Amino acid sequence: MINAQEILFASIHQALTQVYNLSKPTITFQKTRKEFEGDFTLVTFPFIKETKKSPEQLGQELGDYLIANNNQVAAFNVVKGFLNISLSNQFWLNYFNTVKDLKTIGYKSEKSSGKTIMLEYSSPNTNKPLHLGHVRNNLLGFSVAQILKANGHNIIKANLVNDRGIHICKSMLAWQKFGNGETPESTGIKGDHLVGKYYVAFDKAYKKQIEELVAQGKTKEEAEKNAPLIIEAQEMLLKWESGDTEVVNLWKTMNSWVYDGFAITYKTLGVNFDKMYYESNTYLLGKEIIKEGLTKNVFYKKENGSVAIDLSYEGLDEKIVLRSDGTSVYITQDLGTAIERFKEFPQLSQLIYTVGNEQDYHFKVLFKILEKLGYSWAKECYHLSYGMVELPEGKMKSREGTVVDADELLSEMFDTATATTKELGKVDDFNEEEFKELNKAIGLGALKYFILKVDPKKKMLFDPKESIDFNGHTGPFIQYTHARIKSVLRKATFDFEKDKVEIEMSAIEKELVKFVYDFDSVVEESGTAFNPALVANYIYEVTKLYNRFYHDCPILKEEDEKIKIFRLQLSKLCAQAINNAMILLGIEVPEKM
């Protein structure tokens, strides 16, 4: 593959070492800023001390050297200490002819990095259906996995399901008390929704009991601890942990309903996993680690019998890792599961947790404890933290049933896509099944793009109607452009793909080629930052520029045969770039719309 930076590096290195006698110059290029003319920029400030030149003078001399010694350089300009370099039309044409038929632009998967990365995402609770927050988690995790694969890494997509604990028992107890034996089959309600219904029912009944106890003269704290429902739920948890047959069977039954429901949602979302973990199998892991840490003086016993670690010297607080009654806390299990994963997969280079930013502190503590326990791989654990998704009316609350349900959201997206495509009136030649599949692709594309175009670290406000605008910064706009290009290519009445064309590219044509050239580096940067927004916003800029090209430059009506062939080839390359980028985001691009 032709690499502009390598070509420029060789000439600049030669100039600095042979003309200015610099021994080991560190040379880096950056993309020239939009407001200046040029393709790549060299900052000259690092070399002025040794060359005894002003930044402007050195830039001018290096530019003159490039023009004289590198026929790939067409022009340059110097702005203060910045040497802006423009490559020749021939360079960009040679690059274009090298990649015009490639299906792998933006991908390095044919070159393995040798790294194996486990990426954990989703991690739902089995007491409620997936909601909008889970949607962001799943889409982010899946897309980052796709991008890391494109960078040549071997990826293990993992899901740790929270299938035990007091919250699970709340749903179970409420079903026992209020369910009258109803099942997903008897009600027609999706399994995860049915279980979630009883989680909400528990909360309502529990709050009512609290109010009654407060009215009888108890404090709110006393009422919360002594309400009959919460006591029964705690007793049920103890029975589950002791292996009570009746409770365990009910737990298995209700969890199976939830798993069936989750499977449907995951399939609709287009996400999947290579490895499933269940907290019911892992919650006891970590206790032996605590014993080991006590012998190493990493942990210490407190007067009340609990075990803790003091992380105040690390800018953190004291952390309890085992309760006084010997039961584990959440971080105990996380310590155990992390260690087990590196035992199960000794080839692991990195372990990434996709979890909301509300758990930032938890993961700082987890990684620091692992480090103090002497695990060298602790530094390779990473928290892919992301902001919460909010609605115009504020935060969602699962217990109160005020969440945006994932299934309802998906249904709404499909309905909106259907209404929008009907309104545009461009789908008359679609049969019923094709029309349904198209609207599914558009609805999902709108949802995924709207979420993934936002930097994961930022919280976001979700607006379904805005996400499906065919003319905005949206998935459907990109999908429609891809379909437009495919339509143009289908109308070509001759084989335009094989020929290598030598023409003088217009400014916008060259700009499109340069955008495609950037694809590899965008994917690399996106993988390093675990940030799909870089890919999403890049491909939006490509799409926007292609639409300007489509408007300004005739393609099929172009009279010059060579230019027509080039523009068809360029269109095909842009369609491939759009398709590849959207695959990294988990989005389908239709052939026609």
Side-chain angles (χ1 to χ4, degrees):
M1 187 75 72
I2 295 173
N3 188 299
Q5 289 94 323
E6 288 178 5
I7 290 169
L8 293 174
F9 180 92
S11 293
I12 294 291
H13 187 270
Q14 189 174 39
L16 290 171
T17 54
Q18 295 183 12
V19 178
Y20 299 103
N21 297 316
L22 271 61
S23 55
K24 293 181 180 179
T26 302
I27 302 166
T28 55
F29 295 98
Q30 59 194 42
K31 193 177 176 182
T32 302
R33 288 163 57 180
K34 288 181 181 179
E35 59 265 37
F36 300 112
E37 186 180 343
D39 300 325
F40 298 96
T41 296
L42 175 74
V43 182
T44 61
F45 293 108
F47 314 117
I48 57 176
K49 185 176 181 181
E50 286 186 81
T51 59
K52 296 181 172 56
K53 304 277 184 180
S54 71
E56 294 83 356
Q57 185 183 4
L58 180 58
Q60 184 65 43
E61 291 179 4
L62 288 173
D64 289 336
Y65 184 91
L66 287 173
I67 293 291
N69 294 277
N70 190 331
N71 60 10
Q72 306 279 18
V73 177
F76 73 91
N77 64 84
V78 180
V79 180
K80 297 182 179 178
F82 300 91
L83 171 60
N84 302 317
I85 305 161
S86 296
L87 293 173
S88 67
N89 179 82
Q90 192 59 49
F91 170 84
W92 291 115
L93 203 57
N94 288 344
Y95 166 75
F96 171 78
N97 283 316
T98 303
V99 301
K100 70 181 181 67
D101 296 317
L102 290 181
K103 294 185 180 298
T104 57
I105 51 171
Y107 289 77
K108 297 180 181 177
S109 51
E110 70 275 9
K111 297 178 183 177
S112 173
S113 68
K115 289 181 70 174
T116 296
I117 301 172
M118 179 175 283
L119 178 63
E120 178 188 293
Y121 62 96
S122 196
S123 305
N125 298 332
T126 58
N127 62 322
K128 56 191 175 184
L130 303 178
H131 56 62
L132 180 54
H134 293 118
V135 170
R136 187 178 198 188
N137 182 299
N138 279 277
L139 298 184
L140 176 60
F142 182 82
S143 181
V144 169
Q146 293 287 90
I147 290 165
L148 291 175
K149 280 182 186 176
N151 279 287
H153 308 315
N154 178 41
I155 305 300
I156 303 169
K157 293 177 286 187
N159 186 357
L160 174 62
V161 181
N162 184 350
D163 63 345
R164 64 164 295 276
I166 190 70
H167 50 296
I168 310 297
C169 291
K170 288 177 181 179
S171 296
M172 292 162 59
L173 183 62
W175 182 85
Q176 273 187 334
K177 288 184 173 296
F178 317 127
N180 297 314
E182 66 179 19
T183 66
E185 291 76 21
S186 69
T187 60
I189 299 174
K190 193 163 166 276
D192 50 337
H193 287 254
L194 184 63
V195 174
K197 168 185 167 183
Y198 287 103
Y199 183 60
V200 174
F202 178 94
D203 191 62
K204 287 180 179 176
Y206 177 44
K207 282 180 176 174
K208 188 177 179 183
Q209 288 184 350
I210 292 170
E211 288 174 7
E212 290 170 354
L213 290 172
V214 169
Q216 293 170 17
K218 293 190 180 294
T219 66
K220 188 181 179 187
E221 187 178 348
E222 289 172 336
E224 287 172 349
K225 287 181 180 178
N226 295 298
L229 270 175
I230 197 68
I231 291 172
E232 285 186 79
Q234 290 164 347
E235 289 172 351
M236 181 178 272
L237 179 59
L238 289 173
K239 286 181 179 179
W240 180 88
E241 290 183 350
S242 65
D244 180 271
T245 304
E246 184 183 348
V247 172
V248 169
N249 285 340
L250 175 61
W251 170 79
K252 286 180 178 177
T253 298
M254 292 183 71
N255 270 357
S256 71
W257 297 345
V258 175
Y259 297 140
D260 289 344
F262 284 172
I264 293 168
T265 308
Y266 287 143
K267 185 177 181 182
T268 305
L269 269 177
V271 301
N272 52 45
F273 308 94
D274 304 308
K275 184 77 180 177
M276 296 294 293
Y277 294 96
Y278 300 92
E279 289 197 4
S280 55
N281 295 330
T282 63
Y283 78 103
L284 294 176
L285 290 174
K287 284 193 174 184
E288 289 301 314
I289 307 302
I290 305 305
K291 289 181 186 176
E292 180 189 322
L294 279 168
T295 62
K296 291 180 177 178
N297 294 321
V298 174
F299 305 123
Y300 56 86
K301 270 200 172 181
K302 301 185 70 174
E303 288 183 6
N304 65 0
S306 62
V307 179
I309 182 170
D310 183 8
L311 296 172
S312 56
Y313 289 104
E314 312 290 343
L316 303 166
D317 298 322
E318 180 187 71
K319 178 66 182 176
I320 301 294
V321 293
L322 210 62
R323 296 189 185 95
S324 56
D325 62 3
T327 57
S328 61
V329 293
Y330 202 78
I331 204 162
T332 321
Q333 173 185 283
D334 277 0
L335 289 166
T337 53
I339 293 164
E340 282 299 310
R341 288 175 185 184
F342 276 90
K343 284 181 182 176
E344 184 181 3
F345 298 99
Q347 74 274 29
L348 272 190
S349 306
Q350 194 169 31
L351 175 57
I352 301 172
Y353 299 84
T354 310
V355 182
N357 58 15
E358 293 175 345
Q359 296 296 321
D360 284 355
Y361 181 80
H362 172 84
F363 283 101
K364 285 179 184 176
V365 172
L366 174 64
F367 301 158
K368 185 54 66 175
I369 293 176
L370 287 167
E371 191 180 320
K372 286 187 172 295
L373 285 168
Y375 294 101
S376 58
W377 46 256
K379 292 183 182 297
E380 302 306 322
C381 292
Y382 180 80
H383 175 206
L384 176 48
S385 174
Y386 63 90
M388 295 296 103
V389 186
E390 294 187 2
L391 304 165
E393 55 269 27
K395 287 187 178 181
M396 301 178 288
K397 296 179 182 177
S398 298
R399 285 190 297 258
E400 297 175 13
T402 59
V403 300
V404 174
D405 175 76
D407 295 314
E408 290 176 9
L409 173 63
L410 288 165
S411 180
E412 180 186 340
M413 296 303 296
F414 300 152
D415 289 345
T416 306
T418 302
T420 305
T421 50
K422 279 182 178 177
E423 188 179 327
L424 290 172
K426 295 185 178 181
V427 288
D428 295 338
D429 57 339
F430 282 67
N431 64 40
E432 187 177 341
E433 186 59 32
E434 287 174 335
F435 186 58
K436 184 179 177 182
E437 288 302 309
L438 174 66
N439 291 319
K440 182 181 175 183
I442 294 171
L444 273 175
L447 173 65
K448 292 181 178 185
Y449 188 84
F450 196 86
I451 286 175
L452 293 173
K453 74 178 182 180
V454 179
D455 188 309
K457 292 182 176 63
K458 295 179 180 178
K459 71 177 181 182
M460 63 174 295
L461 194 69
F462 183 72
D463 184 341
K465 289 180 181 176
E466 183 185 335
S467 74
I468 215 154
D469 183 354
F470 276 63
N471 294 308
H473 183 183
T474 65
F477 170 69
I478 297 168
Q479 289 172 314
Y480 183 71
T481 301
H482 179 268
R484 165 181 273 176
I485 297 172
K486 288 294 186 175
S487 176
V488 170
L489 299 180
R490 282 194 297 271
K491 291 174 184 175
T493 56
F494 59 96
D495 183 4
F496 60 85
E497 298 186 7
K498 294 180 180 178
D499 299 323
K500 288 189 175 182
V501 181
E502 299 291 331
I503 65 162
E504 187 65 35
M505 290 185 287
S506 67
I508 194 168
E509 289 166 340
K510 189 185 293 184
E511 195 176 351
L512 265 177
V513 172
K514 286 159 61 176
F515 256 111
V516 173
Y517 176 87
D518 290 336
F519 196 3
D520 285 357
S521 60
V522 170
V523 172
E524 185 175 349
E525 185 183 356
S526 181
T528 302
F530 309 113
N531 185 359
L534 299 177
V535 172
N537 290 290
Y538 157 79
I539 206 59
Y540 170 68
E541 292 300 325
V542 172
T543 306
K544 202 165 57 168
L545 183 62
Y546 181 85
N547 277 285
R548 187 152 60 86
F549 158 76
Y550 178 85
H551 181 267
D552 294 350
C553 304
I555 302 175
L556 295 173
K557 292 182 179 179
E558 172 59 49
E559 294 180 359
D560 187 311
E561 193 73 6
K562 284 188 176 181
I563 295 175
K564 183 193 290 187
I565 289 171
F566 170 76
R567 288 177 181 170
L568 284 165
Q569 291 174 340
L570 180 56
S571 296
K572 179 192 166 195
L573 183 61
C574 288
Q576 189 65 55
I578 290 171
N579 179 67
N580 289 7
M582 296 295 260
I583 286 172
L584 297 179
L585 303 176
I587 299 173
E588 179 188 347
V589 281
E591 293 284 310
K592 59 178 184 174
M593 284 174 69

